[in-house]
Amino acid sequence: MLKRYLILSALLVCFLTAHTDLYGQENNKQIAADLVEIAEGVLNETKAIVQACDMFIQAAETDPNNIKANFMAGQLCLETTKKPLASKYFKRVASLDAEYRFDINYLIARGYQYDQDYDNALKYYNLYRTKAIEEKNYRGLDRKMLSDVERRIFECENAKNYRANPANYKIVNVGGAINSEWDDYAPVLNEDETLMIFTSRRQEGNLNPDVFEDNFYYEDIFYSVKENGKWSPAQNIGENVNTLYFDSNIALSADGKFLYLFNDENGGDIYVSENLGNNEWSSPEPMDGAINSSFAENSISTLDGNTIFFSSNRPGGRGELDLYVATRDNRGNLTKVKNLGPTINTEYDEESPFIDYDGKTLYFSTRGREGMGGFDIFKTEYDSTTQEWSEPVNLGYPINTPDNDVFFVSTKDGKRGYYASVREDGMGFTDIYMVTVPDNSEGSETLAKEAEDLEKPDNKNVEANIQAKEEPETEETEEPAEMQPVIVMLKVRDADTRMPLESRVRLRTVEGNLEAGYERVEDGLYRFEVTTPEPTEYMLTVESDGYLFKNLKAKLPGTSPEGTEINRSIELTKLRTGVSSVLRNIYFDFNKATFTKDSYFELNKLERLLQENANISVEIAGHTDNIGAKAYNKDLSQARANAVVSYLANKGIDRRRLQAVGYGEEKPLASNDNEKDGRELNRRVEFRVVGE
């Protein structure tokens, strides 16, 4: 059924591309209306919301005045990984008919919140809040409760604070041995960090060759082992555990002997499989005792199988999902089940507990507390003397985001953690990441300790504070001068008009993804604080709707007693036919057309640009230096251009908008006489807008 709709959609787009000049605007309106009808059919008969979303976006770009196409494009963006694009389409709806939806400003704000544009999100949430108060008697289904709006405003204010003071975490994609171009999530590890088990909706290795109604492959459980410090290519865990339908892991015992799984029978139960050796696992069986009920049990964590933390929506909780603990009695039966209480559980959902190896630190995710939106990861510690849990602490940005951040697990030494997220350097939809606390001192902190320190308002330099605590006190010692941050003042302008340009900006380290906090000073002016103690190479990213993005590398000095201020101006060029840009941060393995892990950040920026500007077509051009035979270089450059096109197409960009051309060594930017200033510049990928 879905295939038929996709064919109809493709035929319409081809017709549009071929005959736009001939038939003009009226024809565009009809094609957009037809695309809307096809997309509605997809929604009615399948669950393929990603494909339906693409069709609504295409319809909205074909006819920007089609209010239904724009509204549905925004609505489905909020239900997919395209959430940051939603505001664009909801704002069009509001401009076409301000009364189309009572909650249109709320929906615009949701898109901005997901896009981490908190100033605009707060602006539109407050616009909706004012309207809801003024029209308090309105009772339509499109009215959002004021309590919900207040919560969103609270989340945005929290997020602004977390973003301005990012935690000192290094977040790294675990790479292609584990991650795929599909969804990969729910990583669990044994205590010596040599075995990782996770859930994936990939095609390769899946027991079921067919896709589900949403046009993605079924969930299967995969595993990888660490060999010589590297993760081996992931393999399917096998037919004893996986079925032809949905199978997902949720926990692994510390010794790696017991794998816990979610089974959707009986409202949602927890099953367990035993490691039989030689990568063989037993058929999963329901857990014993009082953990499973006729209600949902979604997640679990245990060190030894005697004390078990889990989530459930059974009656008696404070919210929909609460966290519970179960313990075995003297006979070894899991009969004692206790709600973890109001210190941890809220009126919102609590999910994905992970009890650390110290037996007292509990990580979990919640929709409540001082979150940024969706689920945020928190940690709490149990005091055996008072028999109480400490007030939970948010792990902060960049671990937490406005989207759902769940199923975080820590390593035994507390220096690393693993979780899944949709991030700018992802290889697929959802990827698995490793979180590391940089070891800048002899006394290494745990993730939990780092989060606590960074929440203190006077903590400008965690490393300096730690070192100061460790050095013995002496009466004669002179206090070291306080280190001042590097201030980067960034002005963004339109390249044609030279006017200030509102943009999305980010400054992060090239190695490690440590991020500088920033604030918007005024239109187009942003102030960053860089607190790394040593000179460090940073990547500056600047994006604005309808403009070419820029990713620039710069080596910034470290903190100093005097402080440093750097002023930088960036000009962005409007997207129009003929403009081009070099994608300098797309790298290939030597003499191959396969990407290195450093390429995905740039590729995903290009994907977002094409998603936001669905009316443009581009040429992807591959170039080489003059080392090697001309014919070989031409083939290699073509293969690299093809690789970029394939990646973009797999992320949902219509192939008809993409042309791959390999120019080989024909169009050098510099002399090929030397490496650094010549051949290195000539080995590149460019994109050029060839149609609007």
Side-chain angles (χ1 to χ4, degrees), residues 320-374:
E320 183 70 14
L321 281 170
D322 270 20
L323 297 186
Y324 292 80
V325 61
T327 54
R328 294 190 184 274
D329 59 21
N330 294 332
R331 297 181 178 180
N333 298 317
L334 280 170
T335 57
K336 300 177 181 179
V337 176
K338 179 183 177 183
N339 187 292
L340 289 187
T343 302
I344 292 177
N345 290 316
T346 68
E347 68 271 28
Y348 299 96
D349 288 335
E350 278 71 43
E351 177 66 293
S352 67
F354 176 79
I355 186 66
D356 207 351
Y357 292 91
D358 61 7
K360 65 178 183 178
T361 303
L362 181 70
Y363 295 93
F364 66 97
S365 293
T366 177
R367 292 186 184 275
R369 303 193 176 279
E370 296 78 21
M372 297 175 63

Side-chain angles (χ1 to χ4, degrees), residues 27 30 32 122 138 211 220 274 348 384 449 451-452 463 478 495 524 597 603 648:
N27 187 62
Q30 183 57 53
L122 287 167
Y138 180 77
V211 294
D220 259 6
E274 185 175 359
Y348 299 96
S384 58
K449 181 68 168 61
E452 285 180 332
E463 180 186 358
E478 202 177 292
K597 67 177 183 178
L603 286 166
L648 295 170

Side-chain angles (χ1 to χ4, degrees), residues 356-639:
D356 207 351
Y357 292 91
D358 61 7
K360 65 178 183 178
T361 303
L362 181 70
Y363 295 93
F364 66 97
S365 293
T366 177
R367 292 186 184 275
R369 303 193 176 279
E370 296 78 21
M372 297 175 63
F375 280 102
D376 274 25
I377 303 167
F378 283 71
K379 72 95 188 178
T380 179
E381 289 187 7
Y382 187 72
D383 187 328
S384 58
T385 303
T386 63
Q387 296 187 350
E388 292 181 348
W389 294 96
S390 65
E391 185 65 23
V393 176
N394 190 308
L395 292 191
Y397 179 84
I399 288 182
N400 287 320
T401 69
D403 212 332
N404 290 327
D405 300 292
V406 290
F407 294 104
F408 175 87
V409 298
S410 179
T411 57
K412 190 172 184 178
D413 60 10
K415 295 181 181 180
R416 292 169 303 287
Y418 292 84
Y419 80 130
S421 183
V422 178
R423 303 182 71 84
E424 292 176 314
D425 60 347
M427 300 172 62
F429 290 89
T430 303
D431 275 12
I432 295 170
Y433 288 82
M434 182 177 72
V435 182
T436 306
V437 177
D439 190 4
N440 293 327
S441 66
E442 293 180 5
S444 168
E445 301 90 14
T446 64
L447 287 165
K449 181 68 168 61
E450 182 82 0
E452 285 180 332
D453 286 342
L454 286 165
E455 290 219 302
K456 298 175 183 176
D458 61 345
N459 187 354
K460 298 297 184 184
N461 190 316
V462 173
E463 180 186 358
N465 288 347
I466 294 165
Q467 290 174 342
K469 290 175 185 176
E470 291 179 344
E471 293 182 10
E473 294 183 9
T474 62
E475 295 181 6
E476 306 288 330
T477 304
E478 202 177 292
E479 286 191 17
E482 185 178 355
M483 305 301 281
Q484 300 297 319
V486 177
I487 304 300
V488 179
M489 300 298 295
L490 174 67
K491 186 72 175 179
V492 185
R493 294 188 176 95
D494 181 299
D496 297 323
T497 67
R498 306 278 295 171
M499 295 297 292
L501 187 62
E502 286 292 278
S503 304
R504 296 182 298 276
V505 298
R506 186 181 180 192
L507 188 64
R508 66 181 184 98
T509 56
V510 173
E511 295 293 332
N513 290 335
L514 300 179
E515 191 152 338
Y518 79 91
E519 62 177 343
R520 175 185 173 276
V521 179
E522 59 185 46
D523 287 355
L525 181 62
Y526 305 90
R527 180 183 185 275
F528 293 90
E529 278 197 9
V530 177
T531 58
T532 45
E534 302 294 333
T536 305
E537 190 172 30
Y538 275 80
M539 175 80 78
L540 173 64
T541 299
V542 185
E543 302 171 274
S544 189
D545 293 345
Y547 289 80
L548 294 175
F549 64 87
K550 284 192 176 180
N551 288 330
L552 305 171
K553 290 181 180 178
K555 191 164 188 177
L556 300 180
T559 55
S560 65
E562 303 81 19
T564 306
E565 181 168 318
I566 298 171
N567 291 281
R568 183 71 188 265
S569 180
I570 297 290
E571 295 185 352
L572 298 185
T573 303
K574 270 197 170 182
L575 282 169
R576 55 180 176 268
T577 300
V579 301
S580 62
S581 179
V582 176
L583 302 170
R584 294 202 182 277
N585 300 300
I586 293 182
Y587 306 106
F588 294 90
D589 293 319
F590 177 71
N591 215 27
K592 295 180 181 178
T594 53
F595 302 118
T596 68
K597 67 177 183 178
D598 298 323
S599 300
Y600 291 99
F601 185 84
E602 189 93 354
L603 286 166
N604 290 332
K605 290 297 181 187
L606 178 56
E607 180 225 340
R608 171 163 176 154
L609 181 142
L610 293 170
Q611 293 280 13
E612 288 182 331
N613 301 275
N615 58 316
I616 67 169
S617 299
V618 298
E619 176 189 89
I620 305 296
H623 301 269
T624 67
D625 56 29
N626 67 348
I627 303 300
K630 284 187 176 182
Y632 178 82
N633 285 338
K634 186 124 182 181
D635 289 343
L636 179 61
S637 65
Q638 182 69 52

Side-chain angles (χ1 to χ4, degrees), residues 664-681:
E665 60 191 70
E666 295 173 9
K667 297 185 177 183
L669 289 178
S671 169
N672 280 301
D673 292 340
N674 61 74
E675 172 62 21
K676 184 175 181 182
D677 297 319
R679 292 190 295 272
E680 184 178 297
L681 297 177

Side-chain angles (χ1 to χ4, degrees), residues 146-197:
L146 274 175
S147 58
D148 182 39
V149 182
E150 299 291 356
R151 173 68 195 179
R152 300 301 181 198
I153 291 172
F154 178 64
E155 290 171 349
C156 289
E157 290 170 342
N158 291 333
K160 285 188 69 175
N161 179 55
Y162 293 136
R163 182 96 192 224
N165 301 281
N168 194 32
Y169 299 133
K170 177 180 177 182
I171 303 177
V172 179
N173 191 299
V174 297
I178 289 173
N179 289 319
S180 69
E181 65 187 74
W182 306 94
D183 282 312
D184 304 289
Y185 45 91
V188 294
L189 296 93
N190 59 352
E191 64 181 337
D192 59 7
E193 210 176 341
T194 58
L195 172 66
M196 181 189 295
I197 297 176

